[in-house]
Amino acid sequence: MATSNPVLRYLESRKNLTGSACGVVGLALTFTGAAGSLWPVVVVGLYGAGALIAPPERPPAPEFPDAAEQLDALRADFTTLRGYLAEVELPPAAAGRLTELDSLVEALLAPGWVSDPEHLHVLARAVRQDMPEAVDTFVRTRWWSRVTSGSEPPERHLERQLTALHAEMSQIAAALQDAEEIRQRTHTAYVEGRVQKHRPPKP
């Protein structure tokens, strides 16, 4: 961890360490008599030269959670979302679409499947934003629709939103399926090619 004290920070810097190493060389030249009476100038000069040629300080790159860690956090949020959805009363059609969407998201969040950053982003947006917002907006709008008339039934919008989200999740599932099929075909070609390579020639 980098210190906040500027003096200590310089003492630990590459410039000071490289300059000190070069200064030690100057002291060695002094002890051998090679520097002569100008040894202070030689030591200081070598220290300065070392500080100049030292590579610049590079701040440590930020560390972000990898795909596995992101999925762990997303699964925890999905569990929280499920607890909220279990308390909401939905019309049968919307409830059925939500169940289908829930099952698909659960499958996508299983360990070992999704690792693509874009897929993770879409999943996180669905769990943390789209699904809870769709249901919460329905609950609020339904309350007002009971005291007013003439507007489109809020459950119809909810069904459309859940259908669109299911289609978006299905695209991720299809991409995963395509990737696994390519992986399978590649491995088949590899195994068959290896067998063909080591097959003894016919007499």
Side-chain angles (χ1 to χ4, degrees):
M1 180 180 297
T3 178
S4 58
N5 189 311
V7 176
L8 293 178
R9 189 163 58 245
Y10 178 77
L11 291 176
E12 298 173 352
S13 68
R14 296 178 181 179
K15 288 184 176 296
N16 180 59
L17 295 177
T18 305
S20 298
C22 293
V24 170
V25 175
L27 290 176
L29 293 175
T30 300
F31 292 143
T32 61
S37 60
L38 298 177
W39 68 267
V41 177
V42 172
V43 173
V44 173
L46 287 175
Y47 175 88
L52 287 175
I53 65 174
E57 294 297 319
R58 180 177 58 84
E63 296 183 0
F64 299 106
D66 58 20
E69 293 172 327
Q70 292 181 52
L71 277 175
D72 288 340
L74 192 52
R75 277 192 288 268
D77 291 341
F78 185 53
T79 300
T80 301
L81 174 63
R82 278 178 154 179
Y84 160 71
L85 296 177
E87 299 179 1
V88 179
E89 182 180 353
L90 300 178
R97 295 188 184 278
L98 181 61
T99 299
E100 295 174 353
L101 176 59
D102 178 273
S103 299
L104 184 52
V105 172
E106 181 183 26
L108 292 173
L109 290 178
W113 289 113
V114 175
S115 59
D116 181 85
E118 181 61 29
H119 292 167
L120 283 172
H121 171 72
V122 174
L123 272 170
R125 183 178 59 195
V127 170
R128 294 169 176 158
Q129 176 181 333
D130 293 334
M131 292 175 66
E133 183 173 343
V135 174
D136 183 65
T137 303
F138 163 76
V139 173
R140 292 171 178 268
T141 308
R142 181 178 60 173
W143 185 88
W144 283 107
S145 67
R146 290 174 177 175
V147 295
T148 60
S149 60
S151 59
E152 187 175 4
E155 56 266 25
R156 188 170 302 169
H157 283 285
L158 178 60
E159 292 172 20
R160 290 169 58 186
Q161 292 166 14
L162 296 177
T163 299
L165 287 172
H166 189 277
E168 191 173 38
M169 298 301 104
S170 296
Q171 291 177 354
I172 297 179
L176 293 175
Q177 181 181 2
D178 291 342
E180 290 303 315
E181 289 177 354
I182 293 174
R183 179 184 177 188
Q184 186 181 41
R185 289 196 298 269
T186 301
H187 189 63
T188 299
Y190 164 72
V191 173
E192 291 178 346
R194 187 178 62 192
V195 173
Q196 184 67 29
K197 180 179 178 181
H198 292 89
R199 179 176 298 171
K202 295 182 179 180

